[in-house]
Amino acid sequence: MLLGKNNRIGKTFDEVAVGDSIQITEKIEDQQLLLYLGLTNDNNPLFIQHDYASQTEFERPIVPTVLLNGIITSTISKYLPGPGSRIMELALQFPGVLYHYETIHIVLNVIDKRESIRGIMIHVEGRNLSTDELIVTGTVIATPPK
């Protein structure tokens, strides 16, 4: 369904099915990191300063977990269920780290539908594309547009 100029509604609750999924692959570049740091005023040197990070257990700058969170939630907002959807709950764990200039491959899979809240539960799993290390896992509950 189109609304106004180039706007569309995502899948409704009835249109989403358990098993629906989407995969995205994103390489983390300086532009994304600098935008995040500028928008949030987060000046943690672990995220951007190579000299500082070299003295930590990570040895080089890491990608902020909230940036990965944003990639996940924007994928839900754009594609599954899509425009008009709202995130109600996030339960994500970050067992691994992603470093600058690495690529993450994220799979989102609808695992449940909750009629009582007209929401869907989405399982999330993100892995470093080159090492297959688990970077993020968990669930998101979103309400599709009405």
Side-chain angles (χ1 to χ4, degrees):
M1 171 188 282
L2 292 177
L3 293 178
K5 200 175 195 178
N6 299 323
N7 293 320
R8 66 175 180 85
I9 293 266
K11 289 183 173 182
T12 65
F13 181 79
D14 294 328
E15 294 171 325
V16 174
V18 170
D20 285 354
S21 66
I22 187 165
Q23 300 181 34
I24 59 163
T25 302
E26 181 120 9
K27 184 172 183 181
I28 306 301
E29 299 284 354
D30 287 338
Q31 179 182 355
Q32 293 139 308
L33 294 162
L34 292 173
L35 283 170
Y36 158 76
L37 294 169
L39 287 172
T40 61
N41 199 26
D42 187 340
N43 60 3
N44 185 340
L46 182 59
F47 299 146
I48 199 74
Q49 293 179 8
H50 291 266
D51 289 342
Y52 177 88
S54 70
Q55 299 171 29
T56 71
E57 64 182 293
F58 304 108
E59 299 179 349
R60 54 193 170 138
I62 64 172
V63 175
T65 55
V66 76
L67 180 60
L68 300 173
N69 181 344
I71 293 169
I72 293 164
T73 58
S74 70
T75 301
I76 292 168
S77 294
K78 290 188 280 188
Y79 306 112
L80 184 65
S85 60
R86 181 177 78 89
I87 304 295
M88 294 181 63
E89 181 180 317
L90 287 162
L92 300 175
Q93 296 83 45
F94 299 89
V97 296
L98 194 68
Y99 295 98
H100 291 202
Y101 313 114
E102 290 187 324
T103 301
I104 190 165
H105 179 76
I106 302 172
V107 178
L108 293 92
N109 187 33
V110 177
I111 58 172
D112 192 19
K113 292 178 68 172
R114 298 187 175 170
E115 182 70 44
S116 62
I117 59 169
R118 306 248 339 135
I120 60 171
M121 179 178 277
I122 302 167
H123 178 261
V124 175
E125 184 173 292
R127 294 185 171 273
N128 183 317
L129 192 61
S130 62
T131 66
D132 201 40
E133 178 185 9
L134 182 63
I135 303 299
V136 57
T137 186
T139 57
V140 178
I141 297 175
T143 54
K146 294 189 188 294

